[in-house]
Amino acid sequence: MKSVVAILFLLLAGPGFLIMGLVSLRRKLWRDGVPAGELLAHRIFGSEPPSRTAWDQRFSMFNVAMFTIFGTIFSILLAVTLISLVSE
């Protein structure tokens, strides 16, 4: 049972984080993108979101880097878990 939970978590987290990080990096969403919650709040109140500052861009780039790093780590752990289950 523990193996199934670990595999499901790693299957969602690993490739999911990696894809989100790479898509954000490729489309340069870290530079101009607005978080979904902030965009929703501005749409509800009928205002425009403010332009991204340098600190917003730094935080977004850090977020993209962490998604990519953790996605890679979790994907490797998924591969190791699957190989260990097959080799038994």
Side-chain angles (χ1 to χ4, degrees), residues 14-82:
F17 284 173
L18 188 59
I19 288 170
M20 285 192 305
L22 293 176
V23 166
S24 293
L25 192 61
R26 183 169 173 87
R27 293 185 182 174
K28 297 181 180 172
L29 296 175
W30 58 272
R31 186 178 300 159
D32 299 323
V34 178
E38 184 178 345
L39 185 62
L40 180 65
H42 283 286
R43 292 247 172 109
I44 289 173
F45 294 115
S47 62
E48 288 294 318
S51 61
R52 302 289 97 190
T53 64
W55 280 104
D56 289 335
Q57 290 177 354
R58 288 183 193 123
F59 181 73
S60 294
M61 189 60 182
F62 174 76
N63 192 11
V64 167
M66 289 298 108
F67 269 136
T68 305
I69 290 168
F70 281 114
T72 303
I73 291 170
F74 288 155
S75 295
I76 292 170
L77 289 175
L78 175 65
V80 168
T81 304
L82 292 175

